[in-house]
Amino acid sequence: MKRFLIIGHKAVTEGGFSLNDMPGGAGRMDVLCRCVNSCFFLSHDLRRDVECYLLLLGEPNPPKTILIKGNEVRYLNPDERSAGSLIKKALQVVCGEEFIESTKGIYIRNGGLERLLNEIDFSVLDENGTDIRSVEEIPENYILSDHMNFSEEEESLIKDLPKISAGPKVLHADHTVIVILNEHDRREK
Amino acid sequence: MKRFLIIGHKAVTEGGFSLNDMPGGAGRMDVLCRCVNSCFFLSHDLRRDVECYLLLLGEPNPPKTILIKGNEVRYLNPDERSAGSLIKKALQVVCGEEFIESTKGIYIRNGGLERLLNEIDFSVLDENGTDIRSVEEIPENYILSDHMNFSEEEESLIKDLPKISAGPKVLHADHTVIVILNEHDRREK
């Protein structure tokens, strides 16, 4: 299993946002939607061995964690609106501390980064990290930030985790996921 | 300069389509929008050394070619609707045989694949091609198809071009562009 956690620093935490304004009113929800696409889509197939965690830190009810499981998810199409629509549905569910399923293969709970770090051994995707092509043992689990840098509080929580880089240029989060999965594909073949 | 040509087999050729239904009524225009994103976006920068050609083959006025130049383009944001909106504006321009600018850095003309092949030396992104990591001299210009296979007529036009693969799994066109550009980044550094 490969896991990607993307932190959406401004992504709203209620389901009333407009699919027509995901970069604005929804707090750059478009970034998270593209990351969902990157995690799962192959030509005429889904990556069933990937899980995608979205950490939503925008108003009004942060933090919330959405989990999408590649081996269970249904109704997901590649366009941004499709992922956005499923995120909206998840945010409309009244959730507690444990994951509850909103639509097939998509789960939501209250809770943030610290809890996830206690549950999963993550590496951090970081422009100054070790090149993914040169790591001997490729990590399974990765943390990425959206269009913003990690906050000081997040930096202090992740400072001792391994750092991995996707290459010489700093890429958008969704593009980084593609490069990392391509390296996995090559090592697994 | 690196050039990507993406063939949109059903992508509509008039500007009246809805940004809310790009996968449906606009003939999978969402695929082309994601390819535009992949061609140009870096974290807090654009790839100014990339040109993106979109070949639109859907009704009612095919073929049309849209050209987006990374060193000139303005008003382009990473979300699908942003690229879609600029494509709509291009399709609203009355164009002839030569490129005419619709918005800053975006051009449109009538004409199809055969003309482009006479103008530019392309390689074809193909799952059975040579791995991009193992080609000695990396190509500058690439042809990709959208969610459909190349047509028989297209196949006959491109059959003698070099074939390049992005890795062991068959990826969406926009994901393939990311992998190819990552290899360029590494060789140029």
Side-chain angles (χ1 to χ4, degrees), chain B residues 15 82 89 95 113 118 130:
Chain B
S82 172
K89 285 192 177 129
C95 67
L113 180 59
N118 285 329
T130 308

Side-chain angles (χ1 to χ4, degrees), chain B residues 3 116-123 139-142 161-162:
Chain B
R3 295 178 190 85
L116 283 163
L117 294 176
N118 285 329
E119 295 168 340
I120 301 170
D121 287 329
F122 281 107
S123 295
E140 282 201 320
N141 311 311
Y142 304 87
L161 300 181

Side-chain angles (χ1 to χ4, degrees), chain A residues 172-185:
Chain A
H172 280 204
D174 56 316
H175 299 173
T176 303
V177 171
I178 294 300
V179 172
I180 298 297
L181 285 172
N182 184 255
E183 182 67 21
H184 275 273
D185 290 345

